């Protein structure tokens, strides 16, 4: 049996007709940038996420970058002295920290909680300096970071909060959806996300209308009106084709999320009695959308090689914590600085969790992983 990590072709089969109808409409109109599909998609996402405004942008990365730029974080070449600082978790996809660096600000890393893999809020305050401007928590794998504690710290020190919700559209904490905790949240529609586009796409969602308006201008070179530039932005616009493809998928998102959660429960139950497999810990306040299902095991690389030899798609998200990335060497961190992130980098595996998995496929993954952990004990 073959079990890929993700199977977008099966998902596409049920969406083919409608997707093609909308794409034809766009091709006939030859109107590719912005337009009615982008406007409608923004409205529908704002309503889905219960926020006042949603601004479509070219990727999750550009959502993060434009949010930082809109908050004037290290934005001006005339800023003097030490760079602004932004607190980010040490364990996340690179874009979280890469965007901070690209503004000229300094990413300041904080270790994660070993159980949730999210930023450990109890380690944030020690990293705050007079130059700290913002905290960028990541809702990793589809589970909310501890936003109550993080927002309380941000309030105490007057810091902005940018939620990196790239992996967590629709995830909830205490019943509140991602995007309603910080000043804004950044979503990604990269094809492997729960809501994945026909290419790259992203969105900034916020309850702050003024911030939304600034990001609308930011995504178009800070231009308003045409050819008049109040500030420097970029080309961060969302294509009509992406908005149309995503509009077709959005009505299915909650059903797909429930299917992912049901797959996660099947894995959890099957691995409960297997000492060698650490299943994901979801805090009781959280409703995870399970963009990834992550287990931790010893002898991880042997286990992964075994799974792959049996045609099971799996991945390491992520093999190198940010403080050990070559490009951040000048920040002066060393191995041992963030033990929980280093643990996650060495022990975790993402298993297939996509909605269309069959029970046979799930059982095959379960049995093969059990075999592997016994073999490499
Ligand atoms: C946590 C996190 N942040 C940011 C991004 C960047 O999103 P994109 O790939 O759409 O630029 C991703 C997506 O891979 C992500 O997982």
């Amino acid at each position: 049996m073959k079990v890929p990590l993700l199977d977008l072709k099966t998902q596409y089969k049920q969406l083919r007709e409608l997707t093609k109808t909308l794409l034809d409409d766009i091709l006939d109109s030859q109107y590719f940038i912005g337009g009615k599909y982008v406007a409608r998609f923004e409205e529908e996402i704002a309503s889905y996420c219960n926020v006042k405004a949603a601004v479509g942008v070219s990727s999750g990365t550009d959502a993060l970058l434009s949010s930082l730029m809109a908050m004037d974080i290290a934005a001006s070449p005339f800023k003097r002295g030490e760079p602004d600082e932004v607190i980010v978790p040490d364990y996340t996809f690179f874009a979280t920290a890469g965007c901070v660096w690209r503004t000229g600000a300094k990413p300041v890393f904080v270790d994660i909680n070993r159980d949730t893999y999210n930023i450990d809020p109890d380690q944030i305050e020690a990293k705050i300096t007079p130059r700290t401007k913002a905290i960028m928590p990541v809702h990793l794998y589809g589970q909310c970071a501890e936003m109550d504690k993080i927002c309380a710290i941000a309030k105490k020190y007057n810091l902005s909060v940018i939620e990196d919700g790239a992996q967590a559209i629709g995830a909830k904490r205490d019943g509140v959806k991602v995007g309603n905790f910080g000043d804004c949240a950044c979503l990604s529609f990269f094809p492997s996300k729960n809501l994945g586009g026909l290419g790259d796409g992203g969105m900034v969602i916020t309850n702050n209308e003024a911030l939304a308006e600034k990001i609308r201008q930011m995504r178009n070179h800070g231009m308003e009106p045409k050819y008049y530039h109040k500030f420097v932005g970029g080309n961060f616009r969302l294509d009509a084709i992406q908005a149309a493809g995503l509009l077709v998928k959005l009505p299915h998102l909650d059903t797909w999320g429930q299917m992912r959660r049901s797959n996660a429960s099947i894995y959890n139950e099957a691995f409960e009695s297997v000492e060698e497999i650490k299943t994901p810990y979801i805090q009781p306040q959280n409703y995870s959308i399970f963009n990834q299902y992550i287990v931790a095991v010893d002898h991880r690389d042997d286990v992964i090689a075994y799974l792959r030899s049996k045609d099971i798609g799996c991945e390491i998200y992520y093999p190198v914590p940010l403080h050990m990335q070559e490009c951040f060497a000048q920040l002066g961190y060393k191995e041992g600085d963030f033990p929980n992130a280093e643990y996650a980098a060495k022990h975790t595996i993402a298993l297939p969790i996509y909605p269309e998995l069959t029970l046979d496929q799930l059982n095959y993954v379960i049995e093969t992983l059990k075999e592997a952990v016994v073999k490499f004990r």
Side-chain angles (χ1 to χ4, degrees), residues 92-129:
T92 168
F93 179 61
F94 178 77
T96 319
C99 288
V100 174
W101 186 277
R102 287 169 64 193
T103 63
K106 180 173 161 187
V108 174
F109 304 134
V110 168
D111 206 356
I112 53 166
N113 175 306
R114 193 179 281 226
D115 294 322
T116 63
Y117 306 114
N118 275 327
I119 191 167
D120 179 354
D122 297 334
Q123 298 192 46
I124 291 178
E125 269 192 277
K127 297 292 180 84
I128 293 175
T129 75

Side-chain angles (χ1 to χ4, degrees), residues 18-19 38 111 156 171 182 186 232 240 246 256 287 289 305 343-345 353:
L18 187 53
T19 307
V38 171
D111 206 356
K156 181 169 163 193
C186 300
V232 175
L246 290 159
W256 290 336
Y287 178 92
I289 60 152
Y343 166 87
I353 187 71

Side-chain angles (χ1 to χ4, degrees), residues 7 33 45 47 69 81 89 93 98-99 103 127 133-134 242 269 272 344 346-347 352 360:
D7 180 4
I33 313 275
I45 288 287
S47 154
M69 289 169 77
F93 179 61
C99 288
T103 63
K127 297 292 180 84
K133 290 290 182 309
Q242 295 312 326
E269 204 174 304
E272 199 182 355
K346 284 196 184 84
H347 292 84
D360 280 349

Side-chain angles (χ1 to χ4, degrees), residues 59-61 64 92-93 95-96 138 164 166-167 188 190 193 200-201 318:
S59 66
T61 303
L64 294 168
T92 168
F93 179 61
T96 319
V138 179
D164 183 339
Q167 302 183 6
S188 163
F190 183 77
K193 300 298 193 271
D200 280 311
Y318 302 93

Side-chain angles (χ1 to χ4, degrees), residues 60 138-139 163-169 186-189 193-194 291:
V138 179
H139 307 306
E163 300 171 52
D164 183 339
Q167 302 183 6
I169 182 170
C186 300
L187 306 177
S188 163
F189 305 121
K193 300 298 193 271
N194 286 31
N291 179 240

Side-chain angles (χ1 to χ4, degrees), residues 49-52 163 176-182 184-185 205-207:
C49 296
N50 299 326
V51 294
K52 289 192 181 139
E163 300 171 52
V176 177
K177 277 187 177 169
V178 158
N180 288 281
F181 302 103
C184 67
I205 55 175
T206 177
N207 287 309

